[in-house]
Amino acid sequence: MNSLQANLAAMCLVAVCCLAGADDIRSFADKADLAPATLKSGLEFLTPETRAMQLDDFENPGFLWVEAGKALFEEEEASPSCQSCHAASGDRALRGVAARYPAVDSQAGELLNLEQRINRCRETHQAQPSLAYESAPLLSLTAYVASLSRGMPYQPSIDGPARSYFERGRAYFFARRGQLNLACTQCHDDNWGRMLRGDRISQGHGNAYPAYRLEWQTLGSLHRRFRDCDRGVRAQPNAAGAGIYVALELYLAWRAGNLALESPGIRR
Amino acid sequence: MNTIRIAAPKQARKGEVIELKAMIAHDMESGFRRDQFGRKVPRDILKHFECVYNGETVFAAEFFPAVAANPLLVFYITATDSGTLEFRWVDQQGKAVSDSVELLVQ
């Protein structure tokens, strides 16, 4: 082997070592979760104008959906109406309920988020067909129910039957994916507060959802946001309502610690 | 149906300048976008807004494709007499939707 060949061989070895280095990590799952002391709602990463828009209950366009949802909730044509069971006060009042979702449904034995819980209720108690994910009536009902827990911190259960879903959701958050080979954690744990093109990277909390996004010009679900994020790293997005997204929602709800629910929030 | 939200004081002193806010749920589809199959999404916008105070138009606005979805208008009028404030939007097909509130002037 002459010296040129030796050099080439050494360079190849270095290249292989580099490839096998950082990029070989498929998952960051042994990293620590975001420390509770550093938690910041996405609200803090908005411009003052957008923040003011969320904090003004009239100028916040998300309330168009909350009002439409309230009307659906009280609609007597649904048999029986949502309100006839879930009166504003009493055992089945819905204040604080959104803060406990996603939760494992004891009858179905699977993890449901708020949208899916509302649909389950329609099917089993109202004899109504379930509503399509991301449809206006489902977004409206979800926004209304979520708005009843505004200002309350998340209290999801991650133990017992929820544990395996939590682990799956956490694994999704820490796993690299897509052509850009990025994990959620690399932006939202490692680089929050820094600029990504024209925007400041948030910590990726879901506490404003369903939220009115200025980019969408409409209210949308957290799963729609997940799909955008997955597309952003050029990964194949999952369907809205997919089990893995509900599991991710559970991990994020736990990760958000004592941040308050803001739905209907405004995001850029 | 387009959800309408109005913020107006219930009562005012005669001659007082009052703030009115009106928001309507509408996509304001500009007509310049294309869907996922490359087809043009047809324009669907509101064209006109007016606020009628006891039969008299006291504020009007024209909308164009560049106006964002769910337009919010904030404007001021002088309270003169008790009566009805009607808020009326007309879309590009000429279909009108409206809502009204009562104002008590003392």
Side-chain angles (χ1 to χ4, degrees):
Chain A
M1 191 187 276
N2 62 30
S3 66
L4 183 65
Q5 279 174 323
N7 267 341
L8 275 175
M11 277 164 70
C12 286
L13 194 65
V14 168
V16 168
C17 286
C18 287
L19 285 175
D23 282 349
D24 197 41
I25 300 170
R26 299 304 309 159
S27 165
F28 300 95
D30 41 3
K31 256 175 57 176
D33 299 290
L34 196 59
T38 61
L39 292 175
K40 279 183 197 298
S41 167
L43 185 64
E44 299 187 41
F45 298 95
L46 301 176
T47 61
E49 294 81 5
T50 314
R51 209 175 305 151
M53 196 182 193
Q54 171 170 323
L55 298 177
D56 181 326
D57 283 358
F58 188 84
E59 294 192 8
N60 179 341
F63 277 91
L64 291 168
W65 280 262
V66 172
E67 283 193 6
K70 185 168 190 286
L72 287 171
F73 194 84
E74 293 166 354
E75 195 175 78
E76 294 300 333
E77 279 170 39
S79 47
S81 70
C82 309
Q83 186 179 237
S84 62
C85 280
H86 302 287
S89 60
D91 296 350
R92 289 177 172 168
L94 295 183
R95 179 161 165 75
V97 166
R100 297 198 290 273
Y101 274 78
V104 175
D105 180 71
S106 53
Q107 282 168 3
E110 60 178 316
L111 187 72
L112 299 181
N113 65 8
L114 204 52
E115 282 91 340
Q116 292 167 331
R117 176 72 257 174
I118 290 168
N119 265 339
R120 200 56 67 101
C121 223
R122 283 174 64 84
E123 287 168 356
T124 54
H125 302 303
Q126 296 180 302
Q128 298 275 334
S130 66
L131 298 163
Y133 216 97
E134 217 58 37
S135 65
L138 186 57
L139 279 175
S140 301
L141 279 168
T142 310
Y144 172 64
V145 175
S147 74
L148 299 175
S149 303
R150 228 176 165 212
M152 302 171 82
Y154 279 110
Q155 300 172 303
S157 164
I158 59 161
D159 297 317
R163 193 72 206 178
S164 62
Y165 294 101
F166 175 80
E167 299 292 353
R168 263 184 85 200
R170 188 178 184 280
Y172 194 86
F173 190 85
F174 285 95
R176 285 180 183 272
R177 64 175 45 78
Q179 288 180 315
L180 299 190
N181 204 25
L182 284 169
C184 312
T185 178
Q186 289 177 280
C187 281
H188 298 296
D189 285 341
D190 300 346
N191 287 296
W192 61 266
R194 300 172 75 178
M195 297 302 284
L196 178 65
R197 298 199 285 184
D199 281 336
R200 208 163 276 285
I201 302 172
S202 78
Q203 292 183 343
H205 299 298
N207 60 330
Y209 286 82
Y212 191 92
R213 285 194 79 224
L214 301 177
E215 181 193 327
W216 293 338
Q217 292 277 291
T218 187
L219 192 89
S221 70
L222 185 58
H223 289 198
R224 182 174 176 185
R225 186 69 192 86
F226 289 165
R227 283 172 61 80
D228 279 7
C229 248
D230 272 343
R231 259 191 228 108
V233 298
R234 300 187 200 158
Q236 180 72 45
N238 294 283
I244 187 64
Y245 277 172
V246 185
L248 178 61
E249 204 177 331
L250 177 63
Y251 170 65
L252 290 186
W254 172 84
R255 177 178 175 265
N258 58 2
L259 291 181
L261 271 74
E262 293 170 15
S263 185
I266 307 276
R267 293 294 180 263
R268 62 205 163 206
Chain B
M1 202 54 238
N2 307 86
T3 307
I4 293 172
R5 305 186 76 211
I6 307 285
K10 292 234 177 334
Q11 46 185 307
R13 293 185 314 276
K14 200 171 174 69
E16 186 184 347
V17 174
I18 57 171
E19 183 189 63
L20 302 176
K21 295 186 192 181
M23 185 191 276
I24 185 168
H26 197 286
D27 289 342
M28 294 298 283
E29 187 59 60
S30 68
F32 296 118
R33 296 196 311 152
R34 287 179 185 269
D35 67 11
Q36 55 177 324
F37 303 108
R39 295 175 303 217
K40 220 170 183 180
V41 182
R43 192 181 85 165
D44 178 17
I45 62 167
L46 295 166
K47 286 293 288 174
H48 181 74
F49 168 83
E50 61 186 358
C51 173
V52 180
Y53 182 21
N54 284 338
E56 185 192 350
T57 300
V58 288
F59 180 87
E62 296 299 321
F63 293 125
F64 298 92
V67 173
N70 312 307
L72 162 73
L73 287 168
V74 182
F75 54 95
Y76 299 85
I77 64 164
T78 306
T80 51
D81 299 294
S82 294
T84 310
L85 285 161
E86 192 199 2
F87 301 81
R88 190 162 172 268
W89 290 261
V90 184
D91 73 8
Q92 62 182 37
Q93 274 86 33
K95 192 177 76 114
V97 283
S98 66
D99 197 5
S100 54
V101 295
E102 296 299 318
L103 176 68
L104 180 67
V105 175
Q106 286 160 327

